[in-house]
Amino acid sequence: MSSRADRERRHPSDGELLLQSAGDLPKARATTIANHLETCPACTSRLASLKSAVGEFAKARRSALDRDVPPPAPARARLTDSIADASEARTGLVRAVEAGLAAAAAVAFILVATNGLSEGSGDGGRPDRTVEIAAFTPSPDLTPGLTNSSSRSELCAPDADLSTTPVLRSVALQIFRAHGIDDPEPFEYELDHLVPPELGGLTAVGNLWPQPYAGSRWNARAKDALEDRLVRLMCEGQVPLATAQAEIARNWVAAYKKHFGASEPLIEHAAFLKDEPWR
Amino acid sequence: MWSASRASGASAAAMPLGGISGPRDGQIEAAAIGREVTLLFDALRTPVLRYLMSMGLPVADGEDVVQDTFLALFNHLRRGRPRTNLQGWTFRTAHNLGLKRRRAIHRSWKSSRDRAAAVLAADTRPNPEEQLNGRQEYERACAVLRALPERDRLCLALRAEGLRYRDIAKTLGISLGSVSKSISRAAARLQEARR
């Protein structure tokens, strides 16, 4: 048996350094390596240079391959056709499904347009960024974010019961209406706890808001990824519970940028799904 | 958070919580899942296509595989299969379908060995007119990586698309340790080449 100090003195392998920085190591080992890095400039700089080699490769690869990537619109149209065919084969209710998919295609078209704008060429053009972000964080009047008095140890206990009571449909519809959505489409929103239950957030009107999956990259998937990260940081003791609650309630987009060190949602979060969609 | 049940798909759509009942369930559900799949397509199509190009598939074949992948995703969701980590699921499926397609191309082009070799030299489609900076840098990197096992290159390509290590492991069906070794080996080689 080696002591904790021994383990922390030993230099981790390149592979372990990379896993640690990506948050893919088990908690105990991650902590050991984090402690080691604090006192070992050699490993810190080795990790930085490994990461920069991968990062630069990723950038060059993307710019080289993207020249050959055709625009997505024809491929997307082909996909919606195939989905219509597949639905038809399963349900035999051709017309209704096609009508539904036509609506989906219309939504899709708008999305393509906005995606095209926001992806543009690099960082140029997005003059309305603040407007866009404002629309994807809830109004503090309607959703200030409410929490219970659970402590960190209660929330992080392995047997902590974080299940929430389902929200009554009538209450949910009221919340949607308060946010100006009269007829919410199923699967388009998450009825999101602004402060998640894992951080002591209450299932109450002042903590629930309809968060769209579409329309912005600052969507429910990005927020789910942030929740996952904040809960981990809080349970590891790296961020105090009160700070985590305040950060996510005040401006989750700012909190995302801070904790992922990114000015835009990361692509790996594009399909992140923690909570169920509203339906 | 809305539904107490983590289950999804047909059974969930028929639950009274959804406020939907009767014969229209199937259509509404198909349309909703179709929408969800097109949203995921918007987010993931280009990363997945780039990965398939890194596997050495020509763009047109890559696009076919992307179609098959997202159609499979639609069917997966319609059957009420798990929806956790759909990004990982999508890359894994694309990888497997991509391998199949690559084998088929290889078979059909056996008679013309040069063309097959051109396709299978992963990550390099020669195009001398387009030797611009980014491409040059990328091709230099590919030349450096060519000496490594293909698994290392695929791990690196998936990491470059932003996948987590554990998702890369699942996509390629290898251990987390192998993934981190592959990527650190590739990164070390790239570093050496830069010096």
Side-chain angles (χ1 to χ4, degrees), chain B residues 106-142:
Chain B
H106 196 53
R107 270 198 302 276
S108 71
W109 283 12
K110 240 179 197 160
S111 51
S112 163
R113 292 186 59 181
D114 292 350
R115 286 177 76 196
V119 170
L120 294 172
D123 274 341
T124 43
R125 275 147 298 98
N127 197 345
E129 294 82 34
E130 281 187 53
Q131 297 266 327
L132 299 163
N133 277 342
R135 183 179 289 270
Q136 264 176 1
E137 194 186 331
Y138 177 59
E139 288 187 351
R140 254 200 309 273
C142 290

Side-chain angles (χ1 to χ4, degrees), chain A residues 23-24 49 56 61 65-66 68 70 75-76 78 93 96 111 167 169 185 187-188 268 274-275, chain B residues 1-2 6 27 32 35 39 42 45 50 54 64 67 125 132 138 161-162 164-166 191 194:
Chain A
D24 272 316
S49 96
E56 276 174 33
R61 173 178 174 277
L65 294 182
D66 278 354
D68 293 336
R76 164 192 251 279
R78 192 174 143 199
L93 297 164
L111 280 167
V167 183
R169 189 173 180 81
E185 283 280 334
F187 294 96
E188 300 280 24
E268 62 189 290
K274 172 171 151 279
D275 298 328
Chain B
M1 286 302 157
W2 164 256
R6 281 261 163 212
Q27 312 150 30
R35 270 198 298 277
L39 286 176
D42 290 339
R45 173 260 187 180
R50 276 195 302 253
S54 284
D64 286 349
Q67 291 290 321
R125 275 147 298 98
L132 299 163
Y138 177 59
E161 292 302 348
R164 302 191 65 161
Y165 286 77
R166 60 180 77 140
Q191 268 175 310
R194 273 200 302 193

Side-chain angles (χ1 to χ4, degrees), chain A residues 34-89:
Chain A
N35 291 342
H36 175 85
L37 283 172
E38 269 174 29
T39 57
C40 182
C43 284
T44 308
S45 94
R46 201 152 50 91
L47 172 59
S49 96
L50 285 169
K51 276 171 77 175
S52 102
V54 175
E56 276 174 33
F57 170 79
K59 228 165 83 189
R61 173 178 174 277
R62 188 174 290 207
S63 82
L65 294 182
D66 278 354
R67 281 178 230 279
D68 293 336
V69 169
R76 164 192 251 279
R78 192 174 143 199
L79 178 68
T80 38
D81 282 352
S82 318
I83 287 178
D85 289 347
S87 311
E88 183 184 324

